[in-house]
Amino acid sequence: MMWSVVARRCFASSSSAGSRVLVFVEHDGKNILPATLSAISAASQLSSDVTLLVASGGAGAVVDAASKVKGATRVLFANDGAFEHNVAENLANLIARVHATFGFSHILASASALGKSVLPRVAASMEVQPISEITAIKDESTFVRPIYAGNAVATVRSKDPVKVVTVRSTAFDKAVIGNDANASIEPAPTAQNEPADLGLTKWISAELSKSERPELGSARVIVSGGRALGSGENFKILEALADKLGGAVGASRAAVDAGYVSNDLQIGQTGKVVAPELYVAVGISGAIQHLAGMKDSKTIVAINKDPEAPIFQVADYGLVADLFAAIPELTKRI
Amino acid sequence: MKLLVGVKRVIDYAVKIRVRPDNLGVVTENVKMSMNPFDEIAVEECVRLKEKGVAKEVVAVTIGPKPSSEILRTALAMGADRAIHVEVADGSTVEPLAVAKVLRALVAKEQPSAVLLGKQAIDDDANQTAQILAGLLRWPQAAFASKIAVAQDKASADIVREIDGGLETVSVKLPAVMSVDLRLNEPRYVTLPNLMKARKKALETVTPDSLGVDITPRLEILRVEEPAKRIGGRKVESVDDLVHKLKNEAKVI
């Protein structure tokens, strides 16, 4: 974090004058998702000219919130049923059209499932090579991103005229939504000759897992379980601990593959990347693919009965114990 | 219908990678290489669609230096019918945009009903090629598929996608590009007899030039480094000790 502050100071005054950044806003119909607020922070490091694009099937509240985000200068909104279910083809087409009108130097979105679906397609429309999941900005063309499941960090410089970038949310602070609103609100340009719905993909249904607990991506505490839990039923002891800590529950790939919990709880290279203040890994051995998703957590606790488990090498506090005894006791003592 | 499946040769997922001394990449010499795990799932899905009588032909494609043809043999042994190796010079970087352009050229030649790709390669972790290809072709895209059901008339397919917060089902018109997620299937093992048979299957070699594609990278790699090391490894004696340290030392609870 320190590092990105330094980077901002180094170039903000000298070279950001020509940058015009577009951020695609992801929302749930009511609120801007926290990951987008991180992407807006990244955008603010690149330029003082930041446009937010809100596409929806009718989400006035989100447009209002967007106009109050610190760092945003303009909010474009596109209300059409074609954008209601986040169909990537329609959204990518919209972003490309907005870019054709305004001519941005950078197009950003969070590195969520949606951002990853839409932005490479946007890049295709202008034939540029996108840059995925940046963790730092060095200058307007130079970005830092993890490769090989976070086991190496690459600094890359883009030679493309437009930089199409997804932002790893855990690497940037969230932009603040305040009351000193000054962003202008305008409708996004509409197409003359084509419908907003390209008709390539039809959304049918969604099956979202419901939870009262905080979202994994923004939770302050995450209690995560692995194969050693033995069953989905046993995840209840983790839920009890998470509830006491006001945290979220996550899982390793092994626990998901075994069917203990649904796959949207998976943390790792192929799942979600998290960086909470406290990460409690329970019965997780610590394969590199899992570490890729959580090793930037502030404090890591590992509870495992195998003293040789690799998770202990990254844990700030390791407890070698049987989780079925240790977790209920821990829940009681907190 | 015909299916095109893209595969990539990458450092095996179980290998602990090392950064090169010149800090411009990672060490690939004398390191175990394998088919990208997500691509194995894509090949498996294509072969299953063929076994179900939905697909008639499965064409496996890779872009890479000479040794990349090994993973095409693996794809053929898994059940692909023939293979195309787009050969590039040893050590060249082919970015997702360039890969997508090569695939677009092959789509024009082969006219498949669908292109299946892994959702990401475990080396560059880009998660872009399928989406870029769909964009270049102006075809529908279904990224992160965990279930693929082709309609009887083969004009569309219902895809279950893994999204943040759960799953969604979409219907895409064919032809389409799909990227596959981990939970789509369990790839089969390659047996020795199948590997022997695969040697007799057709493997065509072409170059990006012959397809009219410029693969010059757009991103310059300035530096590759080891990530900051965590200083872990401290053990606590008991749950009491853990609670005490989390409260007073780490101050996180």
Side-chain angles (χ1 to χ4, degrees), chain B residues 110-124:
Chain B
E110 297 284 341
Q111 302 282 319
S113 300
V115 181
L116 271 76
L117 301 170
K119 82 161 176 182
Q120 76 190 64
I122 60 164
D123 51 1
D124 65 15

Side-chain angles (χ1 to χ4, degrees), chain A residues 220-221 245 276-279 298-301 317, chain B residues 242 245-253:
Chain A
R220 198 186 69 83
V221 176
L245 291 163
E277 280 185 43
L278 173 62
Y279 188 89
K298 185 168 165 249
T299 300
I300 297 173
V301 170
Y317 304 106
Chain B
L242 175 61
K245 289 210 161 77
L246 288 178
K247 274 187 178 151
N248 303 308
E249 204 176 86
K251 297 188 183 11
V252 284
I253 60 169

Side-chain angles (χ1 to χ4, degrees), chain B residues 64-99:
Chain B
K66 209 166 210 64
S68 298
S69 63
E70 291 159 19
I71 63 155
L72 286 177
R73 289 290 172 203
T74 307
L76 292 169
M78 287 174 75
D81 297 290
R82 59 188 173 88
I84 304 170
H85 181 187
V86 182
E87 196 179 325
V88 300
D90 202 22
S92 32
T93 302
V94 193
E95 292 169 346
L97 176 65
V99 173

Side-chain angles (χ1 to χ4, degrees), chain A residues 88-89 112-113 116-117 120-121 124 127-132 142 145 147-160 199-209 220 245 253 256-257 263-264 266 269-270 272 277-278 288-289 295 297-301 307 312-320 326 329-330 333-334, chain B residues 11 13 15 17 19 26 38 95-97 101 104 119-120 122-128 131-132 134-136 138-141 143-144 158 161-173 182-183 217-225 227 230-240 242-243 245-247 249-250 252-253:
Chain A
E89 296 87 337
S112 61
K116 287 173 181 172
S117 295
R121 194 176 175 105
E127 294 212 8
V128 301
Q129 170 56 45
I131 304 155
S132 293
T142 314
R145 61 177 302 266
I147 53 175
Y148 289 94
N151 288 298
V153 180
T155 304
V156 296
R157 184 193 288 143
S158 169
K159 298 177 217 165
D160 281 320
L200 298 171
T201 291
K202 205 174 112 213
W203 181 88
I204 295 173
S205 63
E207 203 181 303
L208 303 180
S209 26
R220 198 186 69 83
L245 291 163
R253 184 186 162 189
V256 172
D257 282 352
N263 50 31
D264 55 306
Q266 186 187 317
Q269 184 186 18
T270 58
K272 289 202 171 66
E277 280 185 43
L278 173 62
I288 48 176
Q289 290 82 5
K295 66 181 170 50
S297 305
K298 185 168 165 249
T299 300
I300 297 173
V301 170
F312 284 123
Q313 290 162 25
V314 299
D316 300 281
Y317 304 106
L319 176 63
V320 180
E329 194 188 342
L330 181 58
R333 297 286 162 89
I334 287 169
Chain B
I11 294 180
Y13 74 95
V15 171
I17 61 120
V19 169
V26 305
F38 290 98
E95 292 169 346
L97 176 65
K101 285 181 170 178
R104 172 174 62 179
K119 82 161 176 182
Q120 76 190 64
I122 60 164
D123 51 1
D124 65 15
D125 284 336
N127 195 330
Q128 296 170 348
Q131 297 90 314
I132 297 176
L136 292 176
R138 296 177 176 269
W139 281 9
Q141 66 178 56
F144 327 140
D158 280 5
R161 301 182 55 224
E162 297 198 9
I163 57 170
D164 296 337
L167 301 169
E168 75 170 14
T169 306
V170 296
S171 172
V172 296
K173 280 189 184 161
L182 276 176
R183 272 162 289 273
R218 304 289 185 86
L219 302 178
E220 184 187 354
I221 296 168
L222 300 182
R223 204 171 162 77
V224 174
E225 291 157 297
R230 274 195 87 98
I231 308 157
R234 270 180 66 193
K235 298 262 170 69
V236 295
E237 291 304 312
S238 63
V239 170
D240 268 344
L242 175 61
V243 172
K245 289 210 161 77
L246 288 178
K247 274 187 178 151
E249 204 176 86
V252 284
I253 60 169

Side-chain angles (χ1 to χ4, degrees), chain A residues 185-198:
Chain A
I185 300 175
E186 303 164 31
T190 48
Q192 301 294 325
N193 315 316
E194 60 177 4
D197 187 352
L198 299 175

Side-chain angles (χ1 to χ4, degrees), chain A residues 61-76:
Chain A
V62 180
V63 175
D64 280 349
S67 71
K68 290 175 185 157
V69 176
K70 201 164 171 269
T73 47
R74 173 169 48 200
V75 178
L76 297 172

Side-chain angles (χ1 to χ4, degrees), chain B residues 12-83:
Chain B
D12 188 85
Y13 74 95
V15 171
K16 187 164 171 28
I17 61 120
R18 282 181 300 130
V19 169
R20 256 164 42 190
D22 67 2
N23 282 102
L24 287 174
V26 305
V27 176
T28 54
E29 290 79 27
N30 301 317
V31 170
K32 188 184 176 200
M33 307 290 280
S34 307
M35 190 189 293
N36 180 41
F38 290 98
D39 303 347
E40 282 189 324
I41 295 166
V43 173
E44 175 67 30
E45 193 65 16
C46 288
V47 174
R48 288 187 191 188
L49 286 167
K50 197 186 157 195
E51 287 167 348
K52 276 191 251 173
V54 176
K56 275 215 169 64
E57 190 183 27
V58 176
V59 183
V61 181
T62 197
I63 298 142
K66 209 166 210 64
S68 298
S69 63
E70 291 159 19
I71 63 155
L72 286 177
R73 289 290 172 203
T74 307
L76 292 169
M78 287 174 75
D81 297 290
R82 59 188 173 88

